[in-house]
C-alpha cells in the first residue's frame, strides 16, 4: 500500500512545478521501498515460502514500478524547467 500510495502521489504532483521537492522525496521513498520489498522477497525465497517463478515476476514488477518513479521524477524536472 505504501508503494502504490507513493506512486499515486507522484502522478498527482509530477506536473506541478511547485511540488518538485515532494516528487523528489517520493521517488527516493519508492527506491527505498522497492529495495526493502526485494530483500523480503529473497528471504521468502531462501525460506522456500515462495516459488522462483513468482519471485522473478515480483522482482520484474518492482523494477518496473521503480522505473515509473524515475520517469515521473524526470517529468517533474522538465516541468519545473518550463
Amino acid at each position: 500500500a505504501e508503494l502504490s500510495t507513493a506512486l499515486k502521489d507522484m502522478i498527482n504532483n509530477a506536473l506541478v512545478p511547485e511540488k518538485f521537492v515532494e516528487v523528489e522525496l517520493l521517488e527516493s521513498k519508492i527506491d527505498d521501498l522497492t529495495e526493502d520489498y526485494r530483500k523480503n522477497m529473497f528471504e521468502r525465497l531462501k525460506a522456500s515460502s515462495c516459488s522462483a517463478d513468482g519471485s522473478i515476476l515480483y522482482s520484474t514488477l518492482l523494477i518496473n514500478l521503480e522505473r515509473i518513479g524515475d520517469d515521473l521524477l524526470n517529468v517533474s524536472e522538465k516541468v519545473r524547467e518550463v
Side-chain angles (χ1 to χ4, degrees):
E2 267 187 282
L3 183 57
S4 63
T5 300
L7 281 166
K8 183 179 108 179
D9 290 345
M10 281 188 82
I11 290 167
N12 290 332
N13 294 318
L15 297 177
V16 181
E18 298 80 20
K19 298 280 188 164
F20 174 75
V21 172
E22 184 177 337
V23 171
E24 197 171 34
L25 292 171
L26 287 165
E27 196 279 328
S28 180
K29 181 177 182 177
I30 289 169
D31 289 348
D32 294 343
L33 287 170
T34 55
E35 183 61 29
D36 290 345
Y37 292 168
R38 194 172 289 112
K39 286 178 186 175
N40 291 338
M41 180 210 49
F42 283 120
E43 291 301 319
R44 289 190 303 275
L45 191 58
K46 283 186 212 174
S48 298
S49 60
C50 65
S51 71
D53 289 341
S55 294
I56 291 169
L57 291 173
Y58 186 74
S59 182
T60 301
L61 174 66
L62 290 176
I63 289 166
N64 288 326
L65 291 172
E66 191 171 353
R67 284 182 183 158
I68 291 168
D70 293 342
D71 290 342
L72 287 167
L73 179 60
N74 290 337
V75 167
S76 186
E77 286 174 343
K78 293 300 178 188
V79 167
R80 186 178 70 154
E81 292 173 6
V82 175

